[in-house]
Amino acid sequence: MNLRNYLSITDEIAQAIKEGKPVVALESTILSHGMPYPENVKFAHNVENIVRENGAIPATTAIIDGKLKVGLNDDELLLMCKGENIGKVSRRDVATYLATKKNGATTVATTMLIAEMAKIPIFATGGIGGVHRGAQETMDISADLQELAHTNVAVVGAGCKSILDIGLTLEYLETMGVPVLGYQTNDFPAFYTTKSGFKVDYNLPDAVTAAKIMKTKWDLGLNGGILIANPIPEQYALNFDEMEAVINQALKLADEKEIKGKETTPFLLANIKTITKGKSLLSNLQLAYNNAKVASKIAVEYAKLNK
Ligand code: PSU
Ligand code: MN
């Protein structure tokens, strides 16, 4: 691999990685395609501050000007938040965007890929992509799952939204050998809610245990990611049945408008937001903050283990 020409890491982050200090990667599609402007600007800064308050250094990723950026300055963060002419970049788009200098936001898959290149072992997001409902026909399965199968990064997320088929998503992760660990829970969370009706493989009692599992897995050469499912704080959780109704409405709309491929997830997210009149946004912000906090704690413990 020849990364030197492509990877652009800020001095602060590069130094931290070199010294084995805790760093937490963050994605940018959550900004450009997952949240409205200008609320996402405050979010982008808050989430970075939360990582710092919890002892780690934030590394938001993006593709700008032919570089894989690890760590964004204020202007670059704003560019992602405004989202004008910002593509949603998954694994298959990376080379095209770099070679043609198109600007793009990183999905879970792309953030994992860049984090691994930069040697950042942990990444905090909102929720992951997965197997879409009706995938038996459409074959719409997020590239996030293949990335979790192959790339050595732990992802802290609030499970996934039930715009997806959560059961099939968990089956896929099992087939691909991806550990699904619950942070202080037996339940796999469904983004807005602490429970999905599905269980995790193992209930993590604390951050140290998460770090030990990461180290053991990769020491053994068991390549691939780990999904750390961290439920939304109870006080921000939404009603499961209410959200199911909203999601079904959004899915119906997508079907009517024949939305397909990479447009599907952003379309559903935007419509959920409209239907709930912004109520879902508050929950979305809070669960992502909570994921950043837990990821930072795990990053601190993982750095200690590797000292
Ligand atoms: N799910 C959310 N919010 C998001 C995404 C998914 O609740 O912002 C974004 C993430 O960047 C994720 C991507 O990696 O969408 C998945 O897109 P697709 O389903 O097209 O693979
Ligand atoms: Mn898809």
Side-chain angles (χ1 to χ4, degrees), residues 12-304:
E12 184 197 23
I13 295 168
Q15 187 70 20
I17 293 166
K18 210 171 110 198
E19 292 172 3
K21 289 188 176 149
V23 177
V24 173
L26 300 164
E27 63 158 307
S28 47
T29 294
I30 192 174
L31 305 174
S32 62
H33 293 74
M35 282 178 192
Y37 176 81
E39 287 92 336
N40 55 6
V41 182
K42 196 159 169 235
F43 168 80
H45 289 281
N46 283 348
V47 82
E48 292 206 345
N49 289 336
I50 287 167
V51 171
R52 288 188 192 277
E53 282 159 16
N54 287 282
I57 292 168
T60 306
T61 60
I63 298 185
I64 300 172
D65 233 355
K67 300 280 180 198
L68 300 169
K69 292 270 187 184
V70 180
L72 304 185
N73 63 31
D74 289 355
D75 290 343
E76 292 164 338
L77 268 184
L78 192 62
L79 185 74
M80 290 301 126
C81 289
K82 283 194 169 158
E84 289 160 7
N85 289 316
I86 302 297
K88 173 183 159 197
V89 179
S90 198
R91 171 179 271 268
R92 72 163 178 190
D93 311 300
V94 170
T96 307
Y97 271 68
L98 286 182
T100 64
K101 297 208 167 147
K102 272 159 70 83
N103 292 339
T106 50
T107 61
V108 168
T110 319
T111 307
M112 287 183 75
L113 178 158
I114 297 173
E116 188 183 58
M117 286 176 180
K119 301 194 167 65
I120 300 172
I122 190 157
F123 156 36
T125 184
I128 61 159
V131 180
H132 280 262
R133 295 193 197 179
Q136 296 89 331
E137 293 239 325
T138 62
M139 287 188 64
D140 190 352
I141 299 174
S142 175
D144 293 354
L145 298 185
Q146 274 298 309
E147 212 60 49
L148 277 162
H150 300 297
T151 303
N152 296 354
V153 174
V155 179
V156 181
C160 60
K161 286 198 177 86
S162 67
I163 57 173
L164 304 172
D165 188 320
I166 297 181
L168 289 189
T169 301
L170 291 170
E171 289 293 346
Y172 194 103
L173 290 169
E174 181 185 0
T175 302
M176 291 292 154
V178 179
V180 178
L181 312 176
Y183 193 76
Q184 297 172 344
T185 183
N186 289 309
D187 288 290
F188 187 76
F191 202 82
Y192 300 115
T193 55
T194 57
K195 294 185 168 78
S196 61
F198 294 92
K199 299 288 170 193
V200 294
D201 305 336
Y202 179 77
N203 182 337
L204 286 171
D206 49 37
V208 189
T209 310
K212 280 187 191 162
I213 293 173
M214 288 161 62
K215 181 164 164 51
T216 305
K217 183 173 192 283
W218 296 326
D219 275 353
L220 292 171
L222 291 172
N223 283 328
I226 296 172
L227 180 58
I228 298 174
N230 185 34
I232 184 170
E234 199 70 68
Q235 67 268 38
Y236 300 110
L238 299 177
N239 181 280
F240 186 86
D241 294 327
E242 227 171 276
M243 282 318 289
E244 270 306 293
V246 169
I247 284 166
N248 281 321
Q249 215 178 320
L251 285 166
K252 191 163 159 267
L253 208 60
D255 194 43
E256 281 164 12
K257 293 195 183 264
E258 298 187 25
I259 306 291
K260 291 200 171 65
K262 68 191 281 184
E263 315 305 332
T264 304
T265 298
F267 178 90
L268 294 172
L269 298 181
N271 278 282
I272 290 168
K273 235 154 21 205
T274 322
I275 298 166
T276 62
K277 299 192 178 64
K279 193 170 127 193
S280 63
L281 181 64
L282 175 74
S283 297
N284 198 343
L285 298 173
Q286 292 298 333
L287 68 84
Y289 293 151
N290 189 43
N291 294 339
K293 183 173 135 192
V294 166
S296 303
K297 288 184 176 173
I298 297 171
V300 167
E301 296 303 331
Y302 187 77
K304 278 190 212 159

